[in-house]
Amino acid sequence: VSCVVGFVVGCVVGCVVGRVVGFVLGFVVGSVVGFVVGCVVGFVVGCVVGCVVGCVLAFVVGIVVGFVVGFVVGFVVSCVVGFVVGCVVGCVVGRVVGFVLGFVVGSVVGFVVGCVVGFVVGCVVGCVVGCVLAFVVGIVVGFVVGFVVGFVVSCVVGF
């Protein structure tokens, strides 16, 4: 009787309690192991994904920030250098080029105006002086010719 009762009780208790205890122990061990493995795998995956995403984001942000900083610095440096070079070149080269161009234009214009004015003045003065000289020469020659002709005619007629 003891064997039979013990067998039946052992089977019932073993089946029920064994399953409950087995499940509880399996659940606890599975939870702990799952938690540890989940933490480790999650940590590793999180590190890898975080590193990759962080690197990509940092790269993109670095490109944008670098472009902005490079543009601003380049713009400012170019403006300053361009201003300085423009002032120096503008002051030196501008004055030299301005003087040369002014000299050339002034020489050409001066030559043309000088020629025209000289021609006009020469014509006017030459005409006036020529007329006056011709008038004076005409008087002198006319007087001499008239005197000689008159003298000769008078001499002949008087003779």
Side-chain angles (χ1 to χ4, degrees), residues 61-77:
V61 170
I63 288 176
V64 171
V65 171
F67 179 79
V68 171
V69 170
F71 180 82
V72 170
V73 170
F75 181 77
V76 170
V77 169

Side-chain angles (χ1 to χ4, degrees), residues 129-146:
V129 170
C131 287
V132 170
L133 286 179
F135 182 73
V136 170
V137 169
I139 290 175
V140 171
V141 170
F143 178 78
V144 170
V145 169

Side-chain angles (χ1 to χ4, degrees), residues 13-89:
V13 171
C15 285
V16 174
V17 173
R19 286 182 180 171
V20 171
V21 171
F23 177 77
V24 170
L25 288 178
F27 182 79
V28 169
V29 171
S31 295
V32 170
V33 172
F35 180 77
V36 170
V37 171
C39 284
V40 170
V41 171
F43 182 77
V44 170
V45 170
C47 284
V48 171
V49 172
C51 181
V52 171
V53 171
C55 286
V56 170
L57 287 178
F59 182 73
V60 171
V61 170
I63 288 176
V64 171
V65 171
F67 179 79
V68 171
V69 170
F71 180 82
V72 170
V73 170
F75 181 77
V76 170
V77 169
S78 296
C79 282
V80 170
V81 171
F83 181 78
V84 170
V85 170
C87 283
V88 171
V89 171

